[in-house]
Amino acid sequence: MCPMQSRLNVVSLQPFYGGSHRAFIDGWITNSVHDWTNLTLPARHWKWRMRHAAITFAEALTLRIKSGQQVDLIVATDMLNVAEFKSLLMCRSGRQIPVVLYFHENQFSYPSRFSEGSVQRERDEHFGFTNFVSALAADACWFNSNFNRSSFLAELNTRLQRWPDHPPTDSVKSLESQATIQHPGIEQPIVDLRPYDDARFQRAVDREPIHLVWAARWEHDKGPARLLTALRRLKQRAVPFRVSIIGESFSQIPQEFETMQREFDSEIMRWGFQSSREQYWRALAEGDLFLSTAEHEFFGLSACESIVAGLYPLLPNRLAYPELLSLTGRSPVEPYLSAKIEQEADALVDQIVQLSELRLDHPKTWNPGRDDRDRFLAKLCWTTRSKEMDAELAALFQRLA
């Protein structure tokens, strides 16, 4: 193939094809100028995916190559062991194909201990080391946020001090200079948001209760216990509110969700996974204030979408959230950030109460960021993001040709 070509044959390897991983690759492929083949595995058993996906995808891609499919580049996610995959592909097909590794998250930067119900379990750091070796084997490493990149590198440098000998110091330094940031895109809203903007204003004029929206995976790391505490304290303080608690759930659902559904049945407006993207956008746009209680977040796609939908974001002052808010062009960002995690339950409730009162007293101006929608979309919409990432793929291909 001519090195000057700009339209590439790209294979996407998605070991965990669900949630933000699926939204990312579907959005890019839909808007890309390149020709794509998307090989996927279901979004379950993430540990097993990290163990076996290299074998599974090497076998699948070898069959395609031997049948004549042209492959110029591969885009994979952090759920793939790239070193194993490239070795297996070379052994079976005789091909060395450049791989771009996209980090949606990194296994080093999850909390060192996490809970499953009442059981505390130590995180297996083997998966973090797999991320590290994969980054070394990849031809390019992209992170979805600077927080993701910096936390990965910081944790790597910390662990250099723990490893018994031969610390790969130079390899870590090489990643520091090569790893880049490529924010994911967000889709254009698929509902007309103007009626929802008008309704949001009218609800404030009519002094209706504030409508809170929480949207995340229904897992412990997204802080359902913190959300439950906040809702209970709002009720104890006799603050009227409505709430939509939406998101994808899996086989094991934290007990807090059942408790919230039972205790706040009269306040709940929407519940659970929304049946379509249209219903998801409606669920966001119906609200007034978007809450996150996450214990870790490497980008915050639902928070981005809530801003586009016109909600006031109230996000933890940590993780990727300050970075995300800076992308909106809002300054300062502090009014949209809640307190540090150890103070969060009380401070979060205080801020909700203050914003609820401000909304009733100043319905036209209580959410000064709602007019930022066009600027935010212009920066992060898939039309913009896919164009930049497409160009990066073409440049990488030409450098390696």
Side-chain angles (χ1 to χ4, degrees):
M1 178 168 290
C2 172
M4 295 304 294
Q5 90 168 59
S6 57
R7 190 181 183 93
L8 302 173
N9 297 297
V10 185
V11 170
S12 160
L13 302 181
Q14 300 295 316
F16 199 84
Y17 187 55
S20 59
H21 291 221
R22 180 170 186 165
F24 171 80
I25 201 62
D26 286 356
W28 188 3
I29 289 174
T30 299
N31 293 276
S32 178
V33 299
H34 299 310
D35 295 320
W36 290 77
T37 299
N38 193 22
L39 303 183
T40 68
L41 293 168
R44 56 178 182 262
H45 311 309
W46 72 267
K47 291 183 179 180
W48 175 233
R49 292 290 177 260
M50 290 192 74
R51 302 287 192 193
H52 83 90
I55 301 170
T56 302
F57 284 141
E59 291 175 347
L61 195 53
T62 294
L63 291 174
R64 288 175 174 270
I65 290 170
K66 289 184 175 179
S67 68
Q69 180 171 338
Q70 176 66 42
V71 182
D72 299 316
L73 282 173
I74 294 169
V75 173
T77 77
D78 52 274
M79 288 284 180
L80 182 70
N81 187 322
V82 175
E84 290 181 354
F85 168 78
K86 291 181 81 170
S87 297
L88 289 167
L89 185 66
M90 181 63 186
C91 290
R92 297 183 178 193
S93 71
R95 290 287 309 277
Q96 285 276 20
I97 303 172
V99 175
V100 175
L101 179 59
Y102 192 84
F103 279 87
H104 290 276
E105 59 270 310
N106 75 82
Q107 297 301 320
F108 278 138
S109 298
Y110 279 82
S112 59
R113 300 186 70 87
F114 67 103
S115 63
E116 292 182 358
S118 60
V119 180
Q120 294 289 326
R121 304 194 179 190
E122 190 74 26
R123 181 164 293 278
D124 184 351
E125 292 204 0
H126 171 83
F127 295 106
F129 201 83
T130 296
N131 280 171
F132 173 42
V133 176
S134 292
L136 295 178
D139 298 273
C141 289
W142 297 355
F143 287 80
N144 62 350
S145 67
N146 183 60
F147 168 75
N148 193 359
R149 176 186 180 275
S150 60
S151 64
F152 176 67
L153 293 171
E155 292 295 335
L156 263 178
N157 279 299
T158 297
R159 282 162 174 78
L160 287 176
Q161 313 305 316
R162 303 180 189 170
W163 293 331
D165 57 19
H166 297 285
T169 306
D170 290 341
S171 294
V172 174
K173 288 182 179 178
S174 71
L175 288 179
E176 290 176 349
S177 62
Q178 295 170 12
T180 59
I181 312 303
Q182 291 290 347
H183 297 299
I186 54 178
E187 67 179 6
Q188 293 282 349
I190 56 177
V191 299
D192 183 359
L193 294 173
R194 289 171 295 181
Y196 293 96
D197 293 337
D198 294 339
R200 192 175 299 116
F201 167 71
Q202 192 60 48
R203 286 197 304 274
V205 171
D206 295 340
R207 304 188 72 81
E208 294 183 18
I210 194 167
H211 185 163
L212 313 175
V213 178
W214 186 95
R217 284 183 289 104
W218 285 21
E219 294 185 307
H220 289 284
D221 60 274
K222 295 303 181 183
R226 197 169 294 114
L227 175 64
L228 174 59
T229 299
L231 295 181
R232 281 174 169 170
R233 292 184 184 179
L234 282 173
K235 207 161 189 177
Q236 289 167 1
R237 293 171 63 169
V239 178
F241 67 91
R242 296 170 178 153
V243 64
S244 292
I245 300 173
I246 62 176
E248 186 176 10
S249 60
F250 301 92
S251 58
Q252 293 184 332
I253 299 176
Q255 179 64 38
E256 289 87 353
F257 289 99
E258 180 182 338
T259 303
M260 283 186 282
Q261 189 176 27
R262 181 179 65 253
E263 291 188 13
F264 302 101
D265 178 68
S266 60
E267 285 85 8
I268 290 172
M269 304 299 292
R270 289 198 185 235
W271 183 258
F273 184 73
Q274 301 302 291
S275 60
S276 66
R277 291 299 294 174
E278 179 182 352
Q279 288 303 311
Y280 170 76
W281 275 104
R282 292 187 187 282
L284 290 181
E286 289 166 357
D288 299 307
L289 189 151
F290 180 87
L291 294 177
S292 170
T293 54
E295 295 179 17
H296 76 80
E297 183 61 74
F298 292 100
F299 181 70
L301 184 59
S302 60
C304 283
E305 291 167 333
S306 74
I307 293 169
V308 172
L311 278 68
Y312 189 109
L314 187 54
L315 310 174
N317 189 13
R318 58 180 189 276
L319 311 172
Y321 289 119
E323 178 184 351
L324 183 156
L325 286 169
S326 71
L327 295 173
T328 68
R330 301 179 184 187
S331 182
V333 299
E334 284 73 20
Y336 308 98
L337 296 169
S338 59
K340 297 293 186 182
I341 190 167
E342 62 272 9
Q343 305 168 318
E344 192 166 287
D346 290 324
L348 181 61
V349 171
D350 287 343
Q351 286 177 280
I352 293 172
V353 172
Q354 291 167 8
L355 290 169
S356 181
E357 294 172 351
L358 183 65
R359 165 181 169 270
L360 298 178
D361 295 339
H362 303 282
K364 284 188 176 181
T365 59
W366 84 283
N367 183 1
R370 62 187 173 186
D371 297 327
D372 295 340
R373 178 181 299 150
D374 290 342
R375 182 169 64 249
F376 194 43
L377 270 175
K379 184 178 296 185
L380 284 180
C381 71
W382 268 117
T383 304
T384 300
R385 298 301 307 124
S386 63
K387 185 179 297 183
E388 179 172 338
M389 291 189 291
D390 280 352
E392 287 295 323
L393 288 186
L396 175 65
F397 178 77
Q398 290 193 19
R399 286 199 303 270
L400 299 176

